[in-house]
């Protein structure tokens, strides 16, 4: 050490700031970096006779226990939107049998109140600190004998923002 650094000088007590900022946020499926391909489950209306009529409802679920769950900072206001699917006509989502026949259906968010999920229109939902599956419900009216027998499907994309 140079002589000027040897004893006899005044001790110094420098300081520096330490801080952190916590902002609201959410994690989907426990993986904050996954932004596509998140499994939100499916809405399965079941199997019905080709002459069946009447309303059918089903909640989004996944028998394999892989449905996406959302957990957020307490009180975070998230927004959920669902596109129109592959068979949209106007603002009407439709299941398709792949042979030109369709069955119209609707989706809604069931979180305290029931809110219709209009294609591509965000709906607010307040999330908490407990991991929760998005409570999406599908509704359709069975068309009876006017529909061909077969499997009717659609695929929709869910977007969650906060």
């Amino acid at each position: 050490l140079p002589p000027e650094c040897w004893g006899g000088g005044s001790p110094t007590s420098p300081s520096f700031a330490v801080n952190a900022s916590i902002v609201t946020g959410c994690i989907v499926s426990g993986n904050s970096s996954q932004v596509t391909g998140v499994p939100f489950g499916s809405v399965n209306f079941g199997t019905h006779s080709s002459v069946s009529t009447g309303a059918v409802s089903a909640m989004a679920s996944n028998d394999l226990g892989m449905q996406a769950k959302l957990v957020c900072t307490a009180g975070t206001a998230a927004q959920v939107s669902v596109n129109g699917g592959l068979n949209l006509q106007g603002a009407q989502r439709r299941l398709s049998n792949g042979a030109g026949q369709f069955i119209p259906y609707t989706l809604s968010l069931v979180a305290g109140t029931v809110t219709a999920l209009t294609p591509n229109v965000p709906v607010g939902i307040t999330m908490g600190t407990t991991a929760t599956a998005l409570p999406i419900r599908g509704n359709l009216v069975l068309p009876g004998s006017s529909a061909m027998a077969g499997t009717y499907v659609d695929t929709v994309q869910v977007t969650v923002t906060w």
Side-chain angles (χ1 to χ4, degrees):
L1 291 174
E4 60 270 10
C5 293
W6 298 343
S10 299
T12 60
S13 299
S15 63
F16 58 91
V18 177
N19 60 49
S21 295
I22 307 296
V23 297
T24 58
C26 299
I27 294 175
V28 178
S29 274
N31 182 349
S32 60
S33 65
Q34 186 174 4
V35 295
T36 61
V38 179
F40 275 103
S42 64
V43 175
N44 184 343
F45 291 111
T47 302
H48 305 276
S49 164
S50 64
V51 294
S52 294
T53 59
V56 178
S57 294
M59 292 296 293
S61 64
N62 188 321
D63 294 337
L64 302 176
M66 295 174 55
Q67 185 177 13
K69 295 195 178 198
L70 187 65
V71 63
C72 299
T73 309
T76 298
Q79 292 200 330
V80 176
S81 66
V82 182
N83 75 356
L86 303 175
N87 309 296
L88 185 68
Q89 182 179 44
Q92 179 63 64
R93 292 181 184 93
R94 303 180 305 163
L95 300 172
S96 171
N97 69 349
Q101 292 226 322
F102 302 93
I103 300 174
Y105 72 96
T106 61
L107 295 175
S108 55
L109 186 65
V110 184
T113 60
V114 177
T115 306
L117 291 169
T118 303
N120 301 310
V121 176
V123 172
I125 182 172
T126 301
M127 299 301 300
T129 57
T130 303
T132 306
L134 288 179
I136 294 176
R137 179 177 67 201
N139 298 291
L140 66 75
V141 175
L142 295 169
S145 60
S146 65
M148 290 174 42
T151 301
Y152 290 74
V153 299
D154 195 14
T155 300
V156 297
Q157 180 177 347
V158 177
T159 302
V160 180
T161 56
W162 53 88

